[in-house]
Amino acid sequence: METLRERKKRRTREALLRAALELFTTRGYEHTTVDEIAAACDVSQRTFFRYFAGKEDAAFALQERAQALFLAALRARPPHEPPMEALRQAVLEGWDAVRGNLESVVPVDLYLRMYRTIESTPALLAAHLRRSTAAEETMARLLAEREGVDVETDPRPRLAVAVFGGVIRVTERQWCSGRDCSLEAVRKLTVSYLDQVTSALRGNWRSA
């Protein structure tokens, strides 16, 4: 059970996060300062840095939380499930859990708008790709552990994650460039693209 002190700290962090994401998505990441985020919550810059290492840390806070949900879902998938199916089900579970797990912190709409801000901001997109590379290595090691293989000598975990990560990146780009920015739209697009992986890699693309 949270103590009063812990509850106050959590509320301060969440208020700073909401303020940061609102400013990033309305004014632009590069045009928002830490002082402005702190001022929006009527706290000092020093207080901001108690909770976040910097603007980038705040910008990706919810993505990090969503990534943790995905990894937890992947660990919990049935052991008999093939690796690619486990990845598929884990990412869909992650999308399904977004509303319940993040809405207490920020509105889902703000979370999704931040996704588009990341995609359209060069500095954030570069950071996103860097962070994704690190996350994919974690995923590969988790798959290897799950399947009982050595990730350093068996290429399959990293290959599977590379294919899966590529599909997710295509999904993100297509969703961010589309008109429908809802949670349902990105989930539907994820399903559609994952369904096409086998035919895209092994099928004949030429019509008869």
Side-chain angles (χ1 to χ4, degrees):
M1 185 175 179
E2 277 186 322
T3 65
L4 178 61
R5 178 181 175 82
E6 289 169 341
R7 188 159 58 250
K8 285 182 176 180
K9 290 177 68 175
R10 175 176 56 79
R11 288 175 176 170
T12 299
R13 186 181 189 278
E14 290 177 357
L16 284 165
L17 180 56
R18 284 193 299 272
L21 298 190
E22 284 288 0
L23 288 167
F24 293 158
T25 56
T26 55
R27 298 187 56 186
Y29 176 77
E30 293 170 342
H31 295 103
T32 299
T33 67
V34 169
D35 282 339
E36 288 168 335
I37 298 169
C41 298
D42 198 25
V43 299
S44 67
Q45 184 190 83
R46 183 177 180 182
T47 297
F48 174 88
F49 284 116
R50 286 178 188 157
Y51 296 95
F52 301 101
K55 289 198 305 178
E56 182 183 307
D57 192 26
F60 286 96
L62 291 184
Q63 277 73 19
E64 291 290 325
R65 186 165 172 170
Q67 179 70 24
L69 291 173
F70 165 76
L71 291 174
L74 182 58
R75 290 188 182 95
R77 295 307 304 168
H80 65 271
E81 208 167 50
M84 287 300 291
E85 182 63 17
L87 288 167
R88 173 198 173 92
Q89 294 303 323
V91 76
L92 295 181
E93 283 182 27
W95 279 123
D96 291 340
V98 162
R99 197 176 298 279
N101 283 277
L102 300 183
E103 204 162 31
S104 61
V105 182
V106 303
V108 171
D109 172 68
L110 179 56
Y111 169 69
L112 296 175
R113 282 193 285 129
M114 190 60 208
Y115 243 103
R116 293 190 168 209
T117 298
I118 289 170
E119 192 72 24
S120 63
T121 306
L124 288 178
L125 181 56
H128 177 48
L129 296 176
R130 184 185 72 244
R131 287 166 176 260
S132 295
T133 298
E136 287 176 4
E137 180 63 17
T138 300
M139 290 161 54
R141 291 181 177 279
L142 179 55
L143 271 190
E145 179 183 345
R146 167 193 163 87
E147 299 300 317
V149 300
D150 185 349
V151 73
E152 301 302 341
T153 58
D154 191 326
R156 288 175 296 176
R158 289 193 175 104
L159 287 173
V161 169
V163 171
F164 176 78
V167 173
I168 297 304
R169 277 298 298 141
V170 170
T171 301
E172 288 174 344
R173 287 199 301 271
Q174 291 299 109
W175 173 73
C176 285
S177 64
R179 293 183 178 180
D180 189 346
C181 58
S182 67
L183 184 62
E184 291 73 21
V186 69
R187 189 192 189 283
K188 183 178 180 180
L189 200 59
T190 302
V191 171
S192 173
Y193 284 5
L194 286 173
D195 282 347
Q196 296 181 60
V197 169
T198 300
S199 61
L201 295 180
R202 302 184 63 182
N204 185 349
W205 296 1
R206 295 180 181 274
S207 58

